């Protein structure tokens, strides 16, 4: 016989009203009671009718996610966390991979009644999307956004601190001639990481060895480091704005007969999967992908279910983490940290 909501209520020892609230993702249910209902549903193999529930709520049960690429293990981890958390809450995830030139009005997810809300991961030209979403009254959360807009609900990483920590790590190893390869200027993360780099150097009275612009690819890191080799003008350490650039730098130095980290130290950013598989394994700045995805889902569902637009002050921001591996080393075997007492 088919299991129904009354069976779940009886099994859990709670009222039908409480079971209904759990099914509708209401945040008014105590965690202990929610767990009882979910366990009863699991024990009885109860599958609520998603279509009927969505119709009753006036919702689609679908959350949209826009990304510019999936060729990035950091973004992959964010997407996986988003999907896992939405699945737990009975939602389906619809992903749209779009080009930076695409108009928001042409994206099928930016239409009323298509999705209950949207998550925008590393959006480009986000002011266009914000205007469109606000006009159509679609709940949304920006993840790793590119504009500093205190009125827009977003979840970001403190990229400036990450740039500072990466550079400070190299300074503490005794390096003074530290180069930086940035990402494209249109990304706020690129600009913030460079600012952190400059802040750390200024704190210790150092000047940038040089700042070159890459594009978050292995090829750009390889090309820039190859030019350094041709000129014979080399830094003792490199802070690359992401791990792909760092990989390109290491490859170029290897083919040029320059050892990492014995001759030049290299540090990246993101902690991509490949960072722990390189030789030498890459020192990098890790972004908390799971925390970003989890909080993004939490804020969006709260907006949808409780009609509560997320607070934007203070901003939702996580600190990155320095991961020390094998691609950085003390300059010329120095035993003391620069600036140590």
């Amino acid at each position: 016989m088919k299991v129904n909501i009354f069976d779940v209520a009886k099994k859990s020892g709670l009222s039908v009203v409480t079971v209904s609230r759990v099914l509708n993702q209401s945040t008014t249910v105590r965690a202990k009671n929610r767990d009882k209902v979910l366990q009863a549903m699991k024990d009885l193999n109860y599958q609520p009718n998603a279509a009927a529930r969505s119709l009753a709520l006036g919702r689609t049960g679908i959350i949209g996610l826009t990304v510019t690429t999936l060729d990035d293990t950091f973004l992959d981890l964010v997407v996986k966390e988003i999907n896992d958390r939405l699945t737990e809450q009975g939602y389906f995830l619809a992903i749209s991979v779009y080009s930076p030139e695409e108009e928001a009005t042409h994206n099928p997810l930016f239409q009323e009644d298509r999705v209950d809300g949207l998550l925008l991961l590393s959006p480009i030209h986000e002011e266009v999307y914000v205007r469109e979403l606000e006009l159509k009254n679609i709940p949304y959360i920006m993840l790793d956004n590119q504009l500093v807009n205190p009125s827009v609900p977003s979840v970001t990483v403190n990229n400036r601190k990450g740039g500072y920590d990466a550079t400070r790590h190299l300074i503490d190893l005794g390096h003074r001639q530290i180069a930086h390869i940035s990402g494209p200027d249109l990304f706020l993360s690129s600009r913030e990481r460079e600012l952190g780099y400059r802040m750390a150097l200024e704190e210790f009275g150092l000047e940038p060895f040089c700042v070159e612009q890459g594009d978050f690819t292995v090829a750009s890191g390889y090309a820039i480091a190859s030019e350094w080799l041709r000129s014979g003008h080399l830094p003792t350490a490199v802070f690359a704005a992401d791990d792909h650039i760092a990989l390109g730098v290491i490859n170029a130095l290897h083919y040029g007969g320059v050892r990492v980290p014995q001759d030049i130290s290299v540090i990246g950013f993101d902690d991509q999967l490949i960072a722990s598989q390189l030789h030498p394994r890459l020192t990098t700045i890790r972004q908390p992908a799971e925390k970003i995805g989890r909080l993004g889902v939490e804020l969006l569902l709260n907006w949808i279910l409780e009609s509560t637009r997320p607070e934007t002050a203070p901003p939702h921001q996580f600190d990155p983490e320095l991961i020390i591996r094998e691609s950085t080393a003390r300059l010329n075997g120095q035993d003391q940290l620069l600036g140590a007492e």
Side-chain angles (χ1 to χ4, degrees):
M1 187 168 63
K2 186 175 181 179
V3 177
N4 58 41
I5 192 173
F6 298 98
D7 298 316
V8 175
K10 183 177 180 181
K11 178 74 174 177
S12 65
L14 298 168
S15 69
V16 172
V17 172
T18 299
V19 174
S20 177
R21 286 174 177 166
V22 172
L23 293 176
N24 293 327
Q25 291 96 43
S26 172
T27 58
T28 61
V29 181
R30 287 182 293 180
K32 184 177 180 180
N33 288 341
R34 177 177 284 102
D35 291 343
K36 286 182 179 179
V37 171
L38 293 176
Q39 186 60 50
M41 291 170 60
K42 183 178 179 181
D43 293 342
L44 296 171
N45 194 27
Y46 174 66
Q47 301 294 328
N49 188 317
R53 184 180 66 186
S54 296
L55 182 63
L57 293 171
R59 303 192 186 110
T60 66
I62 299 172
I63 299 297
L65 172 67
T66 66
V67 293
T68 55
T69 179
L70 290 176
D71 187 23
D72 184 297
T73 57
F74 162 69
L75 297 180
D76 287 348
L77 287 173
V78 177
V79 173
K80 182 181 185 304
E81 183 68 21
I82 289 170
N83 185 67
D84 289 349
R85 299 291 77 79
L86 288 175
T87 299
E88 286 179 353
Q89 299 298 325
Y91 283 87
F92 295 99
L93 179 64
I95 300 177
S96 174
V97 182
Y98 67 99
S99 68
E101 295 77 23
E102 181 180 350
E103 292 287 343
T105 52
H106 296 160
N107 192 316
L109 296 183
F110 284 71
Q111 308 301 322
E112 295 105 326
D113 302 325
R114 292 285 181 89
V115 295
D116 294 334
L118 273 166
L119 294 162
L120 296 95
L121 181 53
S122 295
I124 306 296
H125 310 308
E126 64 194 66
E127 68 279 2
V128 178
Y129 303 131
V130 169
R131 185 166 60 249
E132 190 73 15
L133 293 166
E134 295 281 1
L135 179 66
K136 295 179 177 177
N137 199 31
I138 300 175
Y140 67 94
I141 304 292
M142 297 283 181
L143 307 178
D144 186 34
N145 45 304
Q146 312 310 324
L147 295 177
V148 179
N149 188 337
S151 67
V152 170
S154 61
V155 180
T156 63
V157 171
N158 191 338
N159 285 287
R160 188 176 303 190
K161 182 178 188 303
Y164 175 90
D165 290 348
T167 309
R168 176 61 189 268
H169 171 65
L170 297 172
I171 293 172
D172 285 348
L173 291 173
H175 294 279
R176 292 172 174 78
Q177 296 179 306
I178 303 171
H180 176 52
I181 304 178
S182 70
D185 276 344
L186 64 89
F187 289 102
L188 177 62
S189 56
S190 297
R191 304 192 298 274
E192 288 291 299
R193 291 170 196 178
E194 182 179 334
L195 281 173
Y197 159 79
R198 292 182 182 276
M199 284 173 57
L201 292 180
E202 183 178 352
E203 184 176 309
F204 284 84
L206 302 175
E207 293 292 331
F209 178 84
C210 70
V211 176
E212 305 283 354
Q213 187 173 90
D215 59 8
F216 293 148
T217 64
V218 174
S220 66
Y222 188 92
I224 292 168
S226 295
E227 184 57 36
W228 291 341
L229 288 165
R230 280 191 291 271
S231 70
H233 189 52
L234 295 169
T236 67
V238 181
F239 164 39
D242 89 327
D243 293 341
H244 293 114
I245 294 174
L247 173 57
V249 170
I250 291 174
N251 283 347
L253 294 177
H254 172 74
Y255 286 116
V258 178
R259 300 170 302 168
V260 176
Q262 294 91 338
D263 300 321
I264 296 181
S265 288
V266 179
I267 184 169
F269 206 109
D270 284 343
D271 197 24
Q272 300 273 350
L273 178 62
I274 196 171
S276 60
Q277 299 175 344
L278 292 173
H279 179 72
R281 295 185 305 144
L282 184 65
T283 296
T284 188
I285 301 294
R286 175 183 293 163
Q287 298 201 68
E290 290 84 1
K291 290 182 180 179
I292 294 170
R294 189 179 310 126
L295 181 57
V297 169
E298 179 184 324
L299 294 173
L300 183 61
L301 293 188
N302 190 60
W303 187 351
I304 293 169
L305 300 172
E306 304 299 328
S307 299
T308 304
R309 186 185 178 99
E311 296 289 337
T312 56
H316 301 283
Q317 187 175 74
F318 293 110
D319 286 340
E321 177 186 3
L322 172 65
I323 305 298
I324 301 174
R325 296 194 179 104
E326 300 164 353
S327 66
T328 53
R330 197 171 299 282
L331 179 64
N332 298 327
Q334 291 184 22
D335 294 326
Q336 302 238 340
L337 300 182
L338 180 65
E341 295 294 335

